[in-house]
Amino acid sequence: MSNILIVTLEMEEVYQRHFNDLRQQYFPAHANYLDAHITLFHHLPADVPEVTATLATAAQRAAFTLKVAGVVHFGNGVAYRLESPELQALHHALQQAFEPWLIRQDKQSLRPHITVQNKVTAFKAQQLHEHLSASFVPFEMQATGLKTWRYLHGPWKAEKVWPFSDITASEGV
């Protein structure tokens, strides 16, 4: 089992299904082994109790709004850009708490997004970006909790979910 944890932000189930459907439609099947997700941290130690204790404490808060603000083309893929002052504040606080264990990527400012296509040609990504942008209207959804995953050198294995405003974590999601 990997000693690397990934931390993601949970979203409302209806939007989770929506973005999963987009991934099923546009992500190359051979590389689409994850559900849609909002990554907060890419590489934290799984064997440090302070990491999970900090996440449990951080989840003792109300759900908050994420604005799905636009469609972004990033070379070989397409994502939906998210905006939220609450998310930025939460991420910054977690960065401070996790500082001893952060890799360079996780020390950077958060640019929250949900990837719906990756690992395609730049041309194919540009086509999808134009297609999705043509009918895009910004909307809002709720962030509902934090989740940890074990990195398995490709696929991820769900570890724990901490719903916002709930002190206990659910295991074996």
Side-chain angles (χ1 to χ4, degrees):
M1 179 75 58
S2 169
N3 282 335
I4 297 170
L5 283 182
I6 299 164
V7 179
T8 61
L9 184 69
E10 291 284 276
M11 66 187 100
E12 291 176 85
E13 185 58 35
V14 65
Y15 293 105
Q16 181 69 56
R17 285 191 306 271
H18 169 71
F19 288 113
N20 283 347
D21 289 347
L22 290 173
R23 281 178 71 97
Q24 286 294 325
Q25 189 172 356
Y26 299 119
F27 214 101
H30 72 278
N32 190 22
Y33 43 78
L34 299 174
D35 283 344
H37 56 277
I38 305 164
T39 304
L40 301 182
F41 295 94
H42 298 84
H43 191 285
L44 289 171
D47 55 354
V48 176
E50 293 95 316
V51 171
T52 53
T54 298
L55 293 169
T57 300
Q60 295 177 33
R61 58 163 298 133
F64 57 89
T65 300
L66 298 169
K67 180 179 181 183
V68 182
V71 183
V72 181
H73 173 233
F74 61 88
N76 293 37
V78 175
Y80 285 85
R81 181 174 49 85
L82 306 174
E83 295 177 354
S84 170
E86 293 90 349
L87 175 54
Q88 292 295 341
L90 173 62
H91 185 260
H92 182 70
L94 289 171
Q95 277 181 315
Q96 290 179 323
F98 296 149
E99 199 281 325
W101 306 290
L102 294 181
I103 62 170
R104 187 173 66 201
Q105 182 180 20
D106 289 335
K107 290 181 180 182
Q108 297 175 3
S109 296
L110 181 66
R111 292 180 297 190
H113 63 277
I114 302 170
T115 303
V116 295
Q117 182 187 61
N118 201 1
K119 304 178 190 324
V120 298
T121 65
F123 177 75
K124 192 168 187 175
Q126 180 63 38
Q127 285 183 312
L128 179 60
H129 178 259
E130 289 171 7
H131 171 70
L132 294 176
S133 296
S135 60
F136 178 76
V137 177
F139 61 94
E140 295 182 344
M141 63 182 182
Q142 293 295 300
T144 60
L146 299 170
K147 186 171 187 175
T148 54
W149 304 80
R150 289 282 180 144
Y151 177 65
L152 302 176
H153 306 285
W156 301 356
K157 180 182 182 291
E159 284 281 308
K160 293 185 182 180
V161 174
W162 290 273
F164 289 147
S165 298
D166 188 348
I167 295 172
T168 61
S170 62
E171 302 214 19
V173 178

